[in-house]
Amino acid sequence: GQNIDQPTEMTATEGAIVQINCTYQTSGFNGLFWYQQHAGEAPTFLSYNVLDGLEEKGRFSSFLSRSKGYSYLLLKELQMKDSASYLCAKRGAGGYNKLIFGAGTRLAVHP
Amino acid sequence: EPEVTQTPSHQVTQMGQEVILRCVPISNHLYFYWYRQILGQKVEFLVSFYNNEISEKSEIFDDQFSVERPDGSNFTLKIRSTKLEDSAMYFCASSRPQNNEQFFGPGTRLTVL
């Protein structure tokens, strides 16, 4: 199958750091994306990993381990506006880029 | 900054009616996609389109669905005979080269009564 697993909900405090984990089936893998989605809005791109290691982009970083089928999104210096769903999506190999999304992790940031 | 646009933002229709959802992808993008998201559920791939033909489609994309690029800018999704379970948010997305990020439009909320 194409199961992509991530926690359903997380809570964190403003100014803190939070790590959102994602596991996926390793077969047919050609990249791992993280998107942010506020309620009622479209997903917006955060990060992309295709090789192992950490990609840093300001307050957001994403890590990938291809052998373990594991990724995480790290959010630093949390702000209230970071309250949103975070979607992990795997891109399949050999095709035309369809993204297979996880169900998303709903993050609530509290003061 | 260029963006994907979609119209209408909300479409209400009766079961059995045809609907056409419209998208204008980013102008220099070559790959186009439709996804849907039923309320409270995950984003699901429907179809990808490249070089004026469907390149991949999911099991959801049955004979009731079709896509078209009628001119150089629009990309449409048609549902021939809508069912209650077609009620969802439909997102159009586009990307430039094959291996780049997909940019999503704001979505069309389809409500089938």
Side-chain angles (χ1 to χ4, degrees):
Chain A
Q2 298 275 13
N3 280 354
I4 295 171
D5 294 313
Q6 50 182 135
T8 305
E9 288 186 358
M10 297 182 73
T11 58
T13 305
E14 197 174 12
I17 299 173
V18 71
Q19 177 175 312
I20 302 174
N21 296 323
C22 170
T23 57
Y24 62 89
Q25 193 163 16
T26 57
S27 61
F29 174 82
N30 190 26
L32 196 290
F33 289 77
W34 283 95
Y35 280 81
Q36 181 190 61
Q37 186 179 31
H38 284 99
E41 298 183 10
T44 55
F45 171 80
L46 290 177
S47 71
Y48 164 62
N49 296 70
V50 68
L51 300 175
D52 291 351
L54 190 69
E55 293 281 341
E56 296 189 75
K57 232 179 170 184
R59 293 191 300 116
F60 294 72
S61 306
S62 57
F63 172 83
L64 178 69
S65 168
R66 288 172 296 170
S67 62
K68 294 180 180 170
Y70 168 68
S71 173
Y72 67 72
L73 179 70
L74 195 70
L75 294 79
K76 301 176 197 169
E77 300 168 21
L78 281 171
Q79 301 173 11
M80 298 295 288
K81 67 177 182 179
D82 297 328
S83 293
S85 286
Y86 291 86
L87 315 182
C88 176
K90 167 186 160 180
R91 183 173 63 202
Y96 289 83
N97 278 337
K98 75 175 184 189
L99 294 178
I100 307 298
F101 282 87
T105 298
R106 196 159 52 248
L107 174 67
V109 180
H110 298 291
Chain B
E1 188 176 329
E3 55 185 23
V4 177
T5 59
Q6 290 185 242
T7 52
S9 56
H10 192 182
Q11 173 97 44
V12 181
T13 190
Q14 296 289 328
M15 194 168 55
Q17 295 296 303
E18 175 183 286
V19 294
I20 297 176
L21 310 183
R22 301 179 193 281
C23 168
V24 179
I26 295 173
S27 63
N28 62 350
H29 285 190
L30 302 176
Y31 298 84
F32 314 118
Y33 314 85
W34 284 101
Y35 293 84
R36 80 170 185 192
Q37 187 175 31
I38 295 170
L39 187 64
Q41 297 187 23
K42 63 182 178 182
V43 177
E44 300 174 289
F45 169 78
L46 292 178
V47 65
S48 59
F49 191 87
Y50 169 70
N51 201 25
N52 282 319
E53 59 183 26
I54 289 174
S55 44
E56 192 171 5
K57 59 184 180 180
S58 72
E59 292 171 356
I60 303 167
F61 195 90
D62 61 21
D63 292 345
Q64 293 301 310
F65 290 86
S66 62
V67 290
E68 198 176 39
R69 187 152 164 84
D71 53 43
S73 59
N74 289 283
F75 179 51
T76 62
L77 174 70
K78 183 194 290 187
I79 310 175
R80 281 192 226 339
S81 176
T82 49
K83 308 192 242 330
L84 295 176
E85 55 264 36
D86 293 328
S87 294
M89 184 75 99
Y90 288 80
F91 293 110
C92 172
S94 69
S95 66
R96 197 166 51 85
Q98 188 171 358
N99 291 323
N100 267 10
E101 68 195 74
Q102 295 179 23
F103 292 83
F104 283 73
T108 293
R109 179 168 298 285
L110 177 65
T111 302
V112 182
L113 302 175

